[in-house]
């Protein structure tokens, strides 16, 4: 058990203790309220009422006729005796999950802020030395440089294939010590031909580049990477770097990452941070950047600094080939093959390093539908992987108890299951319904204090984006319905759990006029309108209007109207580069 793991565990306990102490001292937490609410629902009276309804007699006195007052009385009984208690159980379950979520967020935030304040760098913990003999590198005869395989998996990447291939071929590394492997699963013959011609063009310039295809797309990206590792030339490489088709590494990428692997034999992966070329293109890309910045600045930084474990992001990372083999190679059992490999490598005792100073340019999804598909694949795959590896994590012998707890509880359960579930159910379902159920009790600390803390935690690491924070909150509320649906699909292996849809790229830096302009086709209404969001918007508007007319004990209508508007805007695709009228 290492000092980083012990420190991480202590910080987690301190975060939990601090949250509990504040809640108790302020009197915010009060579990003394009875769970059962509302009046007693008499079963015999209810049956008698229904018999009277269908009795057929017109006399209300003799045949049990039903008046509006009787209907309202029955509604009050059912509401207080059946609906409210069921929802109350759901409320307390959400409160527990909310506390779990806020403690996890506080812990990650404290660690990441501590890393920033003290100026902690991976070099403090892991040995790193620059390559000597730059002159030899320029001559291409530096035998002390290890063999590196750079894999670029792609699928119909017409808009961006030149960007990634060109950037990789210009990496500062001896030409005889690097092999670029383009794994093309494209089904479009025109795109396939262009990619092959680009590879031949770089090969004519002296670059050791290989163009590889498959007869089928079995296993999708994992299948392509696995097939690429089977070639004889790939087996000669000590390290493997992966870049998706829209990623453009800086020329010194290998010079800054490979030394960590060379001087630390226990390290399997060096992960770089993503940067974005289109993060200011629209409000959609701006809020996406906030999401990814939090992931890298907080979650990845905290995992690397404490437990030397985090999820491989599938690209912009360098693997030790021996670690991939030791972990069992690439597997296609989930849609998050990168996370799967990272978990299996960790269970074998390997460590990871996250280097936030190294950034690789990439592209954010430019349409709402593309982003939803991307998030669905990631959320579904993460929950599905949790289902598959939980027993393996518990049985692992090369992993400490603290790291097992971090992987099972923090990494998988809280982030992949709890986070999407509680945010969707509490804020998009229970809270709107509560305006019509006055017997339902929702603690103020659960719907006000905890969201406020989570917002502050997010804002601390994004001070430059405070002006778009309200839009980010509304956007994330909408995204929770997709993430929760994905998490449930993956956890219970529902019909959509193994779907793989490649994220559409735009390639806004691509200016080659050899690519023909594709004729725009008129989209069907169901492709232009997101009906799930529209239905949710109608539900929220109804609840908000009810609350506005019948105030009762709560006044949530302002928040509900804002949420409803967010669902409408995204339902009609009024963000990104596509709208319902296109």
């Amino acid at each position: 058990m290492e000092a980083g793991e012990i420190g991480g565990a202590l910080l987690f306990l301190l975060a939990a203790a601090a949250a509990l102490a504040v809640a108790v001292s302020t009197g915010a937490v009060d579990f003394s309220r009875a769970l059962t609410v509302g009046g007693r629902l008499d079963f015999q009276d209810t049956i008698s009422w229904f018999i009277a309804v269908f009795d057929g007699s017109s006399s209300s006195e003799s045949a049990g006729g039903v008046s509006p007052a009787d209907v309202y009385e029955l509604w009050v009984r059912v509401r207080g005796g059946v609906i409210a208690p069921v929802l109350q159980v759901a409320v307390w379950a959400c409160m527990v999950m909310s506390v779990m979520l806020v403690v996890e967020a506080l812990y990650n935030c404290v660690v990441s802020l501590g890393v920033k304040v003290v100026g902690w760098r991976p070099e403090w913990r892991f040995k790193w030395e620059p390559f000597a003999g730059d002159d030899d590198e320029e001559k291409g005869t530096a035998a002390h440089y290890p063999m590196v395989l750079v894999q670029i998996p792609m699928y119909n990447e017409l808009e961006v294939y030149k960007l990634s291939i060109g950037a990789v071929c210009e990496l500062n590394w001896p030409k005889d010590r690097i092999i670029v492997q383009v794994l093309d699963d494209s089904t479009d013959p025109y795109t396939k031909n262009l990619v092959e011609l680009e590879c031949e063009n770089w090969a004519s310039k002296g670059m050791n580049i290989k163009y590889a295809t498959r007869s089928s797309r079995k296993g999708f990206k994992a299948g392509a990477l696995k097939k690429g590792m089977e070639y004889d030339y790939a087996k000669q490489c000590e390290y493997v770097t992966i870049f998706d088709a829209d990623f453009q590494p800086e020329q010194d990428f290998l010079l800054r990452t490979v030394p960590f692997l060379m001087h630390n034999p226990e390290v399997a992966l060096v992960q770089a941070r993503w940067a974005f070329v289109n993060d200011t293109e629209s409000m959609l890309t701006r809020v996406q950047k906030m999401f990814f910045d939090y992931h890298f600045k907080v979650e990845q930084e905290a995992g690397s600094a404490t437990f030397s474990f985090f999820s491989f992001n599938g690209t912009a990372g360098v693997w030790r080939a021996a670690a991939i083999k030791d972990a069992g190679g690439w597997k296609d059992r989930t849609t998050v093959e990168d996370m799967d490999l990272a978990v299996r490598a960790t269970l074998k005792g390997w460590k990871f390093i996250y280097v936030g100073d190294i950034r690789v340019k990439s592209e954010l999804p430019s349409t709402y539908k593309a982003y939803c598909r991307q998030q669905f694949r990631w959320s579904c795959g993460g929950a599905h992987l949790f289902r598959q590896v939980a027993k393996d994590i518990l049985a692992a012998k090369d992993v400490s108890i603290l790291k097992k707890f971090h992987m099972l509880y923090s990494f998988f359960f809280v982030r992949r299951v709890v986070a999407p579930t509680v945010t969707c159910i509490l804020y998009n379902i229970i809270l709107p319904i509560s305006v019509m159920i006055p017997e339902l009790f929702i603690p103020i600390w659960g719907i006000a204090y905890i969201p406020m803390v989570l917002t502050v935690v997010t804002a601390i690491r994004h001070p430059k984006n405070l002006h778009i924070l309200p839009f980010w909150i509304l956007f994330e509320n909408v995204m929770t319905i997709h993430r929760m649906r994905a998490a449930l699909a993956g956890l219970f292996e529902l019909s959509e759990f193994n779907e793989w849809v490649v994220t559409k790229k735009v390639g806004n830096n691509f200016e080659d006029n050899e690519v023909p302009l594709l004729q725009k086709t008129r989209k069907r209404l169901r492709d232009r309108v997101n009906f799930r969001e529209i239905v949710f918007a109608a539900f929220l508007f109804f609840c908000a209007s009810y609350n506005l007319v019948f105030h009762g004990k709560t006044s949530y209508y302002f928040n509900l109207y804002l949420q409803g508007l967010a669902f409408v805007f995204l339902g009609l695709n009024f963000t990104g580069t596509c709208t319902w009228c296109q």
Side-chain angles (χ1 to χ4, degrees), residues 301-471:
E301 196 76 72
S304 177
T306 54
F307 294 95
S308 298
F309 168 76
F310 50 85
S311 176
F312 174 45
N313 292 116
T315 178
V318 186
W319 276 91
R320 188 185 301 274
I324 297 178
K325 183 178 179 180
D326 185 43
W330 294 101
K331 293 185 179 181
D332 59 1
R333 58 180 178 175
T334 71
T335 57
V336 285
E337 74 293 325
D338 44 11
M339 187 185 298
D340 187 2
L341 178 61
V343 170
R344 287 185 282 113
T346 299
L347 298 184
K348 289 290 185 177
W350 293 97
K351 297 178 181 179
F352 303 158
I353 299 176
Y354 168 70
V355 189
D357 292 339
I358 304 176
R359 304 188 183 191
V360 182
K361 293 186 293 185
S362 62
E363 181 182 317
L364 291 165
S366 59
T367 66
Y368 174 65
K369 192 174 290 291
Y371 181 63
C372 287
R373 288 172 177 169
Q374 181 194 71
Q375 291 296 304
F376 185 92
R377 186 176 77 241
W378 292 351
S379 299
C380 180
H384 186 227
L385 183 62
F386 178 39
R387 171 192 175 111
Q388 299 209 9
V389 301
K391 292 182 180 179
D392 296 335
I393 295 175
L394 289 173
K397 298 180 180 179
D398 298 327
V399 181
S400 66
I401 295 178
L402 289 179
K403 184 174 283 191
K404 288 181 180 181
F405 175 80
H406 172 73
M407 294 175 70
L408 284 173
Y409 176 79
S410 299
F411 182 77
F412 274 116
F413 184 62
V414 175
R415 298 185 199 173
R416 318 295 164 191
V417 179
V418 169
T421 301
V422 66
T423 48
C424 181
I425 292 179
L426 181 59
Y427 301 112
N428 290 334
I429 298 177
I430 292 180
L431 190 65
I433 290 179
S434 69
V435 301
M436 297 179 286
I437 313 291
E439 296 89 350
L440 187 63
F441 171 68
I442 304 180
I444 188 65
W445 56 268
I447 58 174
Y449 302 159
I450 286 181
M452 182 178 64
V453 171
L454 293 175
T455 302
V456 171
V457 166
T458 303
I460 287 176
R461 298 312 307 269
H462 304 85
K464 296 180 180 179
N465 295 321
L466 288 176
H467 59 292
I468 64 170
L469 194 62
F471 300 100

Side-chain angles (χ1 to χ4, degrees), residues 122-148:
E123 292 87 341
W124 292 12
R125 185 174 180 183
F126 299 96
K127 185 178 179 181
W128 185 93
E129 292 181 0
F131 281 98
D134 290 338
D135 293 338
D136 292 337
E137 186 275 324
E138 291 177 2
K139 296 176 182 178
T141 59
H144 57 279
Y145 281 72
M147 283 293 295
V148 176

Side-chain angles (χ1 to χ4, degrees), residues 214-230:
R214 298 188 296 162
S215 57
S216 70
R217 292 188 65 217
K218 183 180 183 300
F220 305 109
K221 181 180 177 180
L225 294 172
K226 181 180 180 180
K227 180 67 176 178
M229 296 290 290
E230 294 175 356

Side-chain angles (χ1 to χ4, degrees), residues 151-157 183-187 212-228 244 330-338 377 496-503:
Q151 294 182 307
I152 310 177
M154 57 178 59
Y155 173 74
N156 294 336
E157 308 286 359
L183 303 168
D184 191 7
D185 273 359
S186 299
T187 55
T213 61
R214 298 188 296 162
S215 57
S216 70
R217 292 188 65 217
K218 183 180 183 300
F220 305 109
K221 181 180 177 180
L225 294 172
K226 181 180 180 180
K227 180 67 176 178
D244 283 349
W330 294 101
K331 293 185 179 181
D332 59 1
R333 58 180 178 175
T334 71
T335 57
V336 285
E337 74 293 325
D338 44 11
R377 186 176 77 241
E496 301 173 300
F497 84 95
N498 205 26
E499 284 188 358
W500 181 284
V501 180
V502 177
T503 305

Side-chain angles (χ1 to χ4, degrees), residues 112-178:
S112 64
L113 283 176
V115 167
K116 184 176 180 63
V117 169
V118 301
W120 186 89
R121 297 173 58 85
E123 292 87 341
W124 292 12
R125 185 174 180 183
F126 299 96
K127 185 178 179 181
W128 185 93
E129 292 181 0
F131 281 98
D134 290 338
D135 293 338
D136 292 337
E137 186 275 324
E138 291 177 2
K139 296 176 182 178
T141 59
H144 57 279
Y145 281 72
M147 283 293 295
V148 176
L149 174 68
V150 182
Q151 294 182 307
I152 310 177
M154 57 178 59
Y155 173 74
N156 294 336
E157 308 286 359
L158 178 65
E159 297 83 2
V160 295
Y161 74 94
K162 277 193 174 183
L163 296 175
S164 56
I165 295 177
V168 167
C169 288
E170 292 177 355
L171 287 171
N172 288 337
W173 203 259
K175 295 296 185 289
D176 60 339
R177 309 301 293 172
I178 184 173

